[in-house]
Amino acid sequence: MKTIIGNWKMHLGIRESVAHARGVLRSVMGHEVLPEIVICPSFTALSEVRKVLVRTRVALGAQAMGTERFGAFTGDVSVAQLDDAGCGFVIIGHSERRAMNAESDTVVNAKMKLITQTSLVPVLCVGESKDVRSAGKAEVFVAQQIEAALRGVTINASSRLIVAYEPIWAIGTGLSATPADAIAMNVGIREAVKKAFGGKSIALSVVYGGSVNGENAYQFLREPSIDGVLVGGASIKIHDFEAIIAAGRDVMIAQSV
Ligand code: 13P
């Protein structure tokens, strides 16, 4: 199974979000074999988009969450509220939030612990800066992010985790990592997750994100060790997103998974 996640970031109003969600649905209609598809609109559009997605094969996700369950936290949205809003997935640790919203490793860890008390699936973003990569420390850096995010997190038999490897230098730059970079990193990510859970197994998907578009998606998706893609800019362009879904479908049909 391949997973395709669209992170719409701070784009689209409610009407545009609904129209775009309908466009995504049109592109999956009539296809039996489909990747898992998740779209993550802004908070303001979640409930209207949810109505469009009911009883379809496209799931709803949120782009962020607060660090507490309920309480006096002006402007925050808790994971329980996202659950209530119909989200099945939530992105945490995105580099934009790490950089601009003080989402430190400690905060990401607190969020992981809250998510595991719900049925939402965490989409944990990790990835190094250009400087860290140039210094040859990318693998170590990402392994540390995983270790910090999962420290003390308890899982059960039905727990699921999606880790998105999103190198910062590839986000929104048009300069994606190579599939070889992503494959090499994914090995380290799988090891770090295994270590963090003391060898206990978890349903783990490791996806790649960073300048994925309709043209390059196939080269990532065709790799057996890349379980999917997390898409920013191209996820709000219907032709690009359609092409990415089609690439996922083609790979699944070719590999019969
Ligand atoms: P782009 O696809 O625009 O590079 O963004 C990637 C991303 O940040 C998805 O979360």
Side-chain angles (χ1 to χ4, degrees):
M1 173 61 85
K2 299 287 176 181
T3 299
I4 292 169
I5 306 167
N7 174 7
W8 296 0
K9 306 195 179 181
M10 201 172 68
H11 294 291
L12 310 183
I14 297 173
R15 277 222 311 248
E16 294 162 315
S17 297
V18 165
H20 191 49
R22 289 204 177 111
V24 174
L25 283 184
R26 270 194 297 276
S27 63
V28 304
M29 241 159 32
H31 294 285
E32 206 168 299
V33 177
L34 276 179
E36 174 176 54
I37 302 164
V38 183
I39 54 177
C40 305
S42 292
F43 287 141
T44 50
L46 284 176
S47 63
E48 288 302 316
V49 171
R50 175 197 198 175
K51 290 180 197 160
V52 176
L53 301 185
V54 170
R55 284 186 293 279
T56 72
R57 290 166 71 189
V58 177
L60 187 65
Q63 298 176 17
M65 58 175 271
T67 42
E68 304 290 336
R69 276 190 71 75
F70 291 103
F73 301 97
T74 304
D76 268 359
V77 177
S78 77
V79 70
Q81 289 171 316
L82 295 176
D83 198 356
D84 186 41
C87 292
F89 299 77
V90 58
I91 297 172
I92 56 168
H94 193 285
S95 61
E96 285 154 14
R97 294 197 67 83
R98 289 182 192 258
M100 291 176 277
N101 299 79
E103 197 156 316
S104 64
D105 280 337
T106 312
V107 169
V108 173
N109 180 243
K111 292 183 179 185
M112 266 304 303
K113 288 176 178 164
L114 285 172
I115 299 168
T116 52
Q117 293 165 28
T118 71
S119 59
L120 273 81
V121 176
V123 179
L124 167 63
C125 299
V126 293
E128 80 288 353
S129 64
K130 202 172 189 322
D131 287 351
V132 170
R133 177 153 286 262
S134 307
K137 295 187 177 144
E139 270 86 3
V140 173
F141 180 85
V142 167
Q144 278 167 355
Q145 283 185 319
I146 302 265
E147 193 273 323
L150 303 182
R151 195 176 301 152
V153 172
T154 46
I155 52 166
N156 58 43
S158 61
S159 297
R160 188 175 168 209
L161 170 65
I162 299 176
V163 176
Y165 170 51
E166 293 208 309
I168 298 168
W169 46 270
I171 295 177
T173 58
L175 190 84
S176 66
T178 62
D181 289 335
I183 292 166
M185 188 59 85
N186 285 6
V187 173
I189 290 173
R190 283 176 208 283
E191 274 168 18
V193 170
K194 202 168 167 190
K195 198 166 151 203
F197 293 131
K200 248 194 203 173
S201 75
I202 181 165
L204 172 68
S205 307
V206 187
V207 306
Y208 168 75
S211 295
V212 173
N213 58 40
E215 272 167 31
N216 65 15
Y218 186 82
Q219 65 180 26
F220 291 102
L221 291 165
R222 74 175 169 200
E223 298 296 339
S225 70
I226 301 177
D227 297 317
V229 286
L230 173 56
V231 189
S235 72
I236 51 169
K237 296 181 191 143
I238 193 63
H239 293 301
D240 255 317
F241 202 59
E242 254 173 25
I244 295 167
I245 293 170
R249 211 172 49 230
D250 289 349
V251 167
M252 287 176 60
I253 291 169
Q255 298 177 355
S256 310
V257 286

